[in-house]
Amino acid sequence: MESQATLPPPCPRKVRVAEGYSDLLAERRETSDLRWAIREWRSRGNYRYGQQMTRKEIFDHVVGSDRVKHTIAKLAEEGGDPKALEGEVADILEQMGHTQELGVIRQFAFVLPKIMKKIYRKILINEDGIEKLRSTMVDTPVILLPTHRSYADFLLISYIAYHYNLPLPVIAAGMDFMNMAVIGDKLRGSGAFYIRRSFMDNPLYWAVFQEYVQTIVKSTGSPLEFFLEGTRSRSGKSLPPKIGLLGCVSEIWLRGQLPDLAIVPISISYDRTLEEKLYAYELLGVPKPPESTSGLLKATSILKESFGDIFIHVGEPVSLRGYLGPRVDRYLSASVPQHLSTVTKTELCACESLGYHVLRRIQQGAVTSVWSVVCVQLARSLHAGRWSLPLPALVEEVAWLIGILRRTGAAVALEGSVEEAVTRSLEVHKQVASLGEDGTVHIRQIHQPGSHPPNTKKKMDLSSATVESAVTHLVLQHYINQAIHLLIRPALVALALRSFHHGGKSTPENLKQRFSFLRSLFGFDFMFEKDMEGRDFMEGLSVLTWCGEVSVVQDQVLMVRSGSRLLTALLHLLAPFTLAYTCTALTLDSKVWPDNNGQLLTAIQDQVERSIGTSNLYSALSLDSIRHAVRALTKMGAVTRTNGEDKQVRLVPDHQKLTSIVDVLSCKHDSKLQARL
């Protein structure tokens, strides 16, 4: 371990906000939307080896493929009716299949700018990323992987493609959208193909799906767009990658059908998320309202509100061959016919690593809004029991934290002075916090006493007083989470160091071991690349040493001073998560639980509610983190799934491991703790 003086600082981002970003709405505010939408349009950057295929030609290719024929024959051997199975394939394709009708796309190109100009100030995009994407598309089929934080993501990439005359993407969409009257057909006409949420247990559907997706990529060369996280993130954080679609497209290269594929990470950062309030209720346990056209029409009230800016960062393409090549041996399956081969366990693990790598690239491309930084300070005020604070104090704290973030290499969307940016963000988010005439910032209670959550009359298990506070806390936490990945590594180092006795002192090796333990524990809440523990530890430690919070002298890592500003802030960021995980461990340790997710989650939420006390950490009630905690504790062996005599699956706690985890999170100084871990 090197001394403090020689530890490398984090690498800064090359692209700074406002350099190389262009406003997509600037031209739209000055010229006719209709004239722009109906202009002569022709894509530039088409895959040179792609071929134009009609919907029927794609269907015929799928039906005639060896994969689908083999699956039908196999199911027929098991007693299925071949004619009925062929009919089922036709039905699946009819339900799934997309079209790309320029007339429909022009309709969206006319309507979307009008909506966006109403609710957004700017939509900023890095044009150098667009040009790299265009040149990549010519030689290599492209997979577009944008973040998924809002329904607005869905057509935003298509709008960008139309704006820059790029090949229009084919988009994987959930079946929920297909059933929306009129809208479902319009989305299909703009390039959406509809897939079921879960179909791994249906071999025929899986075969049709694989063949359909791979035909689009390898034969037509159209860009394929899907959301790596699978669903919208209600919490504002990145979700663990879903490997199904990524594995499906990776198989094309793994089986030697294409020389390479380009994975393009796209970061979409919103000043204000359209669904912020609904997300808060969902995280408390209120069911998600179903997608419907009537619901969409009711949502037109948002046209009267301001949602600030959107930043879109098109990242550097990731070569599938370059990433997977060193991690897999393609020759092992070279002699197996392609329709009979399956993705091996090693290949799936490599695809999972690729998924986490792409998520990391997406996080690195994200632009942090000033509002996210403001929310960190507003949440700290709420946790102290204060629903207001002076603007000068808020501005000073925000300026300090922006400085820390920029020293870690983050891009912060700061326009003008910090005070101007804070005031502007308060105007956009005035339903959450507003600036009074006396220069005091007042945090609002979003959920009013006696009111029901939207779209449901469901009686919540939480008390009305808890819900009244929790909704505001969770809305703030949503925006904090959009930036928390920037500080999670130094925060985990700080928590690891605090968990040791002797006043925050440890050997580098012990500290790294404790950091790795916490990294694994929080691995579903915060995305870390596989097999990168050493790099993450050094990155986190470097931030603390560089900022003068920690010193590394000979064989000791020491806190320079306890209770320092940055260490306090970092530990405060983690506090809702440590409370959620502690309560999850305590609940699981209380008895043998039936593997009933709903019953267990309710019990854990109840434990959190009883544990909040004067800490006011209401965002620990988030079902998102509670679910992740249960998964993590099961994966780490602190809970074991076993079959009882009645064949019901139960969760059996390991009392020693759960006690050790609680001790680490609460920083109890047990001399035997390291051995138990």
Side-chain angles (χ1 to χ4, degrees):
M1 177 65 68
E2 297 181 68
S3 67
Q4 176 182 342
T6 56
L7 280 170
C11 296
R13 279 263 310 277
K14 291 183 179 179
V15 178
R16 287 293 178 187
V17 174
E19 292 182 10
Y21 282 82
S22 298
D23 181 13
L24 295 180
L25 297 182
E27 182 186 348
R28 299 277 48 75
R29 296 188 190 281
E30 297 176 358
T31 59
S32 164
D33 291 327
L34 178 60
R35 187 176 303 161
W36 181 78
I38 64 173
R39 76 190 193 277
E40 183 180 353
W41 186 90
R42 184 172 298 172
S43 61
R44 294 185 293 108
N46 298 61
Y47 178 50
R48 67 175 67 193
Y49 304 111
Q51 60 189 61
Q52 293 289 330
M53 296 180 72
T54 65
R55 176 183 167 98
K56 183 179 183 305
E57 287 171 338
I58 294 174
F59 286 7
D60 289 344
H61 187 279
V62 173
V63 170
S65 67
D66 292 335
R67 190 197 309 265
V68 171
K69 285 181 177 179
H70 173 75
T71 304
I72 290 174
K74 189 174 179 181
L75 292 173
E77 289 175 5
E78 297 171 1
D81 180 355
K83 289 293 183 184
L85 292 168
E86 290 171 3
E88 187 178 346
V89 169
D91 291 342
I92 292 171
L93 284 170
E94 194 62 37
Q95 188 182 67
M96 183 183 293
H98 75 284
T99 60
Q100 283 186 323
E101 304 167 33
L102 193 56
V104 173
I105 292 163
R106 290 188 190 280
Q107 291 173 27
F108 278 117
F110 173 67
V111 173
L112 285 178
K114 292 194 173 299
I115 296 173
M116 292 189 292
K117 285 186 292 186
K118 278 275 188 182
I119 65 177
Y120 294 115
R121 192 175 69 115
K122 295 179 182 178
I123 298 180
L124 297 147
I125 187 167
N126 62 321
E127 293 198 325
D128 62 327
I130 290 293
E131 293 312 312
K132 285 181 183 177
L133 174 60
R134 191 192 307 278
S135 62
T136 301
M137 284 176 162
V138 174
D139 296 315
T140 311
V142 163
I143 311 300
L144 304 173
L145 298 184
T147 48
H148 200 15
R149 301 292 177 269
S150 169
Y151 280 136
D153 304 325
F154 193 82
L155 283 172
L156 199 51
I157 305 303
S158 295
Y159 177 80
I160 291 168
Y162 189 82
H163 181 95
Y164 286 104
N165 291 75
L166 290 167
L168 297 167
V170 177
I171 313 159
M175 296 292 289
D176 301 343
F177 293 100
M178 188 186 76
N179 298 321
M180 294 175 67
V182 181
I183 300 298
D185 289 337
K186 294 294 184 184
L187 292 176
R188 190 192 297 274
S190 68
F193 68 96
Y194 295 109
I195 56 176
R196 299 174 189 172
R197 290 291 181 187
S198 177
F199 52 82
M200 294 298 289
D201 58 347
N202 186 329
L204 187 60
Y205 193 98
W206 176 241
V208 173
F209 164 77
Q210 282 183 296
E211 203 62 41
Y212 187 87
V213 168
Q214 292 181 7
T215 298
I216 291 169
V217 175
K218 69 185 181 184
S219 297
T220 72
S222 296
L224 177 69
E225 175 191 343
F226 62 89
F227 299 111
L228 184 58
E229 298 158 286
T231 186
R232 288 173 297 157
S233 171
R234 273 69 174 168
S235 67
K237 295 189 274 73
S238 296
L239 300 176
K242 297 291 193 300
I243 306 303
L245 251 170
L246 187 61
C248 179
V249 297
S250 297
E251 188 182 28
I252 300 171
W253 177 80
L254 289 168
R255 301 298 168 257
Q257 298 176 63
L258 281 174
D260 199 5
L261 285 168
I263 310 291
V264 180
I266 302 176
S267 311
I268 306 174
S269 308
Y270 295 95
D271 262 359
R272 181 182 168 195
T273 308
L274 295 172
E275 306 93 330
E276 59 182 7
K277 189 175 175 181
L278 286 176
Y279 287 169
Y281 284 112
E282 284 186 51
L283 291 172
L284 290 174
V286 176
K288 177 177 77 75
E291 282 78 17
S292 65
T293 303
S294 60
L296 183 65
L297 294 174
K298 289 177 184 177
T300 53
S301 60
I302 66 170
L303 297 177
K304 301 175 184 177
E305 300 183 44
S306 170
F307 288 81
D309 299 338
I310 302 176
F311 273 90
I312 302 160
H313 184 87
V314 181
E316 193 78 27
V318 177
S319 163
L320 196 73
R321 178 181 61 199
Y323 189 89
L324 293 183
R327 293 169 171 81
V328 298
D329 294 316
R330 290 199 299 173
Y331 72 88
L332 294 176
S333 58
S335 61
V336 181
Q338 290 177 2
H339 68 282
L340 297 178
S341 66
T342 57
V343 178
T344 67
K345 186 176 180 179
T346 300
E347 291 168 342
L348 276 177
C349 287
C351 289
E352 185 180 32
S353 295
L354 173 63
Y356 280 98
H357 177 71
V358 172
L359 281 178
R360 171 75 165 154
R361 297 280 287 269
I362 287 172
Q363 289 179 340
Q364 289 174 328
V367 175
T368 301
S369 70
V370 170
W371 176 246
S372 289
V373 187
V374 169
C375 286
V376 173
Q377 309 307 333
L378 297 182
R380 292 189 69 177
S381 182
L382 285 185
H383 295 164
R386 299 188 299 267
W387 285 74
S388 64
L389 68 165
L391 178 64
L394 175 61
V395 169
E396 194 274 331
E397 289 293 324
V398 168
W400 168 75
L401 190 51
I402 286 175
I404 297 294
L405 292 174
R406 283 186 161 171
R407 289 182 74 176
T408 68
V412 182
L414 181 61
E415 183 180 337
S417 69
V418 174
E419 183 173 352
E420 289 170 342
V422 170
T423 304
R424 190 163 49 247
S425 72
L426 288 169
E427 180 61 31
V428 171
H429 295 272
K430 58 189 175 185
Q431 78 291 346
V432 179
S434 59
L435 179 60
E437 293 181 0
D438 59 351
T440 301
V441 177
H442 300 274
I443 307 169
R444 297 182 180 276
Q445 188 170 279
I446 297 172
H447 181 84
Q448 296 304 310
S451 65
H452 287 284
N455 302 302
T456 181
K457 298 295 182 182
K458 176 188 173 185
K459 184 180 183 301
M460 301 192 68
D461 297 310
L462 301 169
S463 71
S464 57
T466 295
V467 174
E468 286 164 16
S469 292
V471 172
T472 298
H473 281 254
L474 284 168
V475 169
L476 293 178
Q477 190 67 44
H478 173 84
Y479 293 101
I480 294 169
N481 287 344
Q482 291 179 2
I484 202 169
H485 64 274
L486 297 166
L487 295 172
I488 187 58
R489 290 159 183 82
L492 290 183
V493 173
L495 181 60
L497 193 56
R498 197 186 71 166
S499 69
F500 288 104
H501 55 298
H502 305 310
K505 179 172 69 174
S506 169
T507 65
E509 191 56 41
N510 285 343
L511 184 62
K512 182 180 178 182
Q513 185 178 348
R514 183 64 55 83
F515 170 86
S516 296
F517 167 78
L518 291 170
R519 184 181 182 274
S520 296
L521 180 63
F522 291 113
F524 292 111
D525 254 308
F526 307 105
M527 299 302 102
F528 302 105
E529 283 194 69
K530 301 293 183 182
D531 305 318
M532 292 293 180
E533 290 92 343
R535 184 197 66 184
D536 288 343
F537 173 68
M538 288 303 299
E539 182 179 319
L541 185 59
S542 296
V543 172
L544 295 178
T545 55
W546 199 27
C547 293
E549 303 288 322
V550 167
S551 66
V552 183
V553 181
Q554 295 179 346
D555 199 32
Q556 290 291 322
V557 182
L558 306 167
M559 285 186 182
V560 173
R561 54 193 176 278
S562 61
S564 66
R565 191 177 188 181
L566 179 57
L567 285 173
T568 301
L570 292 173
L571 293 172
H572 188 269
L573 277 176
L574 285 178
F577 301 97
T578 57
L579 178 59
Y581 278 64
T582 298
C583 290
T584 300
L586 291 172
T587 304
L588 287 168
D589 198 34
S590 64
K591 68 176 188 178
V592 175
W593 286 88
D595 194 11
N596 180 324
N597 203 36
Q599 181 184 350
L600 176 59
L601 295 181
T602 299
I604 296 170
Q605 255 194 341
D606 180 62
Q607 174 73 46
V608 174
E609 185 178 23
R610 287 185 280 110
S611 302
I612 288 172
T614 58
S615 71
N616 295 313
L617 294 171
Y618 287 95
S619 50
L621 291 162
S622 166
L623 288 174
D624 186 69
S625 284
I626 291 172
R627 290 189 187 98
H628 290 157
V630 173
R631 287 183 66 188
L633 293 172
T634 304
K635 181 180 179 181
M636 298 176 76
V639 182
T640 306
R641 282 190 169 88
T642 59
N643 290 314
E645 293 180 1
D646 56 0
K647 297 184 179 179
Q648 295 296 315
V649 180
R650 289 178 169 79
L651 302 176
V652 180
D654 183 316
H655 300 293
Q656 187 177 34
K657 287 185 178 180
L658 288 169
T659 300
S660 299
I661 289 167
V662 171
D663 288 348
V664 170
L665 294 177
S666 59
C667 298
K668 290 184 180 178
H669 300 144
D670 183 348
S671 60
K672 298 180 181 179
L673 183 60
Q674 190 69 26
R676 294 210 305 269
L677 292 173

